[in-house]
Amino acid sequence: MNTIGTRVRLTLFGESHGPSIGAVLDGLPPGETIDWAAVQREMARRRPGQGPWTTSRQETDAYTIESGYFQDKTTGTPLCIRIYNEDCQVQDYQAGVVRPGHADYTTYIRYHGCHDYRGGGHFSGRLTAPLVFAGAIAKQILQRRGVYMGGHILQVGTIGDRPFSALGESKDTLCTLTTQALPLLDSTLRPRIEEAIGNVKAEGDSLGGIVELMASGLPAGLGTPFFDSVESVLSHFFFSIPAVKGVSFGSGFALATMKGSASNDSFYYENGTVYTRTNHNGGINGGITNGMPLICQVAIKATPSIGKVQETIDVHAEKNITLAIRGRHDPCIVPRVVPVLEAALAWSLLDLWEDSEGIRGGYI
């Protein structure tokens, strides 16, 4: 339910407007040093205040480490992080009033009305803060094994960036993307995207988009079909993140229109290493990594909290009502979702790697 992973397990806890949120990271390899400044930079990417597309809620996301780190190294026992909520406005939320597009109605039914409805409670995007913390740890461990990853905004509304090169992007390109508030391969699109977001914000509306991710340097052999295939593990985590509505790998849905002679990625040797001449399958064959860059795309729906008047219901009064959502909300969450998805990718890949180590008796 609130825990994901096989060999390295992540548990999230807390509510959007409760005292704190946090995570327990279980199964991390012992003896790993952590660059805490790098962790803070990753968390700052997700925090509001990076541009006009973010909520005005002010959270520093300052964290405390409760366990699992001693004498500058991971101990191998559960690492627990706690992040205190600092800027809550509980008056913006009404018990019984269902916000369209949110989980208010389904959680009311599922938990018999006992859920914390303030800001979405446990179902809020606020819970992605400790998720990014976990991903930042996983990223550092993977980088020591030669794996680098990055993400960019492939699309906001109808404005599209160029896709990643299927055969890979440089380490510098991937790392540079992580320093940008609006990570784009074509930086000339930034003014257009900012204008589009500003326009929907003025209308009391919102925009969605698509994020593209890449991980390079992965060894061949990660993944365990059928139900723990690389696509299965990554999709499980991606779809656990609020607002994610679609996932594809490599050429994705375009594969449905391609003949096998086009979609098959031909293999060849170069200096004793196996490569493919194309990468339509996104670095995965049969649910197992093949050593080529792993590429995937994730669709993000428009932020459901909007200022326009909408039809909805009051489940306490059992009547139809109209609602214009108050409070502080992102007119477009796509930029802030990029580091969240990178974190999910990093944690999932570390879990797959550790699982493969157990299967094969050593690092691949």
Side-chain angles (χ1 to χ4, degrees), residues 3-11 23-29 79 130-139 141-142 149 233-234 237-238 340-354:
T3 300
I4 195 166
T6 301
R7 298 295 287 263
V8 288
R9 297 173 65 80
L10 171 64
T11 300
V24 178
L25 290 60
D26 200 359
L28 290 175
L79 192 157
L131 194 163
V132 169
F133 172 91
I137 301 293
K139 269 190 178 182
I141 296 173
L142 289 170
M149 63 189 65
V233 171
L234 292 179
F237 206 144
F238 290 149
V340 178
L341 294 171
E342 287 179 25
L345 176 62
W347 189 265
S348 299
L349 291 177
L350 179 61
D351 189 29
L352 286 163
W353 194 311
E354 292 296 301

Side-chain angles (χ1 to χ4, degrees), residues 43 47 114 152-154 160 252 269 291 315 319:
M43 296 188 69
R47 273 196 1 245
C114 299
H152 73 113
I153 300 168
L154 184 60
Y269 275 108
V315 293
K319 67 178 183 179

Side-chain angles (χ1 to χ4, degrees), residues 68-338:
Y69 199 74
F70 181 63
Q71 295 183 336
D72 296 326
K73 290 183 175 62
T74 56
T75 62
T77 56
L79 192 157
C80 179
I81 172 186
R82 185 181 295 273
I83 304 170
Y84 290 95
N85 292 323
E86 301 171 319
D87 187 18
C88 301
Q89 291 186 1
V90 297
Q91 69 275 12
D92 290 335
Y93 304 96
Q94 306 171 60
V97 174
V98 172
R99 296 169 299 165
H102 283 276
D104 297 343
Y105 175 69
T106 51
T107 54
Y108 175 81
I109 297 297
R110 172 66 177 81
Y111 296 104
H112 312 293
C114 299
H115 64 294
D116 184 342
Y117 61 85
R118 302 168 301 173
H122 188 64
F123 295 83
S124 168
R126 179 81 184 117
L127 272 292
T128 60
L131 194 163
V132 169
F133 172 91
I137 301 293
K139 269 190 178 182
Q140 293 185 34
I141 296 173
L142 289 170
Q143 285 175 3
R144 295 187 188 113
R145 301 178 188 181
V147 178
Y148 289 85
M149 63 189 65
H152 73 113
I153 300 168
L154 184 60
Q155 186 172 322
V156 166
T158 60
I159 304 170
D161 192 14
R162 76 165 177 85
F164 279 133
S165 170
L167 297 181
E169 298 282 350
S170 70
K171 170 184 167 183
D172 287 344
T173 296
L174 295 177
C175 291
T176 298
L177 287 170
T178 66
T179 67
Q180 300 174 357
L182 270 180
L184 295 162
L185 294 173
D186 181 357
S187 59
T188 65
L189 294 172
R190 179 174 181 137
R192 288 180 58 197
I193 291 176
E194 289 184 337
E195 181 182 15
I197 296 174
N199 288 341
V200 296
K201 182 178 181 180
E203 297 166 2
D205 219 325
S206 60
L207 283 174
I210 300 173
V211 173
E212 186 174 44
L213 304 166
M214 173 179 284
S216 65
L218 288 169
L222 302 183
T224 307
F226 277 76
F227 304 117
D228 287 325
S229 69
V230 174
E231 295 102 326
S232 302
V233 171
L234 292 179
S235 296
H236 183 179
F237 206 144
F238 290 149
F239 279 118
S240 302
I241 296 168
V244 169
K245 286 298 181 181
V247 177
S248 64
F249 294 86
S251 295
F253 283 87
L255 289 166
T257 66
M258 299 167 65
K259 294 180 179 179
S261 56
S263 63
N264 289 342
D265 299 312
S266 300
F267 290 96
Y268 70 99
Y269 275 108
E270 184 174 299
N271 299 323
T273 301
V274 175
Y275 299 94
T276 60
R277 297 194 184 278
T278 55
N279 193 18
H280 295 298
N281 292 280
I284 305 166
N285 293 126
I288 299 172
T289 57
N290 63 18
M292 293 295 288
L294 189 156
I295 302 174
C296 56
Q297 304 81 30
V298 183
I300 309 298
K301 74 172 184 175
T303 315
S305 294
I306 59 175
K308 287 182 175 291
V309 175
Q310 304 173 85
E311 294 182 348
T312 189
I313 58 174
D314 182 329
V315 293
H316 289 174
E318 295 188 351
K319 67 178 183 179
N320 299 323
I321 61 171
T322 58
L323 172 69
I325 295 177
R326 299 178 299 166
R328 304 157 297 173
H329 308 288
D330 302 69
C332 180
I333 62 171
V334 177
R336 294 178 63 204
V337 169
V338 176

Side-chain angles (χ1 to χ4, degrees), residues 40-70:
Q40 196 61 55
R41 286 194 295 272
E42 286 292 313
M43 296 188 69
R45 295 173 62 203
R46 191 215 68 92
R47 273 196 1 245
Q50 308 299 313
W53 51 85
T54 67
T55 171
S56 60
R57 180 172 177 174
Q58 296 298 309
E59 295 286 356
T60 64
D61 285 352
Y63 57 82
T64 59
I65 304 299
E66 306 291 340
S67 64
Y69 199 74
F70 181 63

Side-chain angles (χ1 to χ4, degrees), residues 354-364:
E354 292 296 301
D355 192 42
S356 294
E357 178 194 2
I359 294 170
R360 299 178 59 163
Y363 286 147
I364 294 172

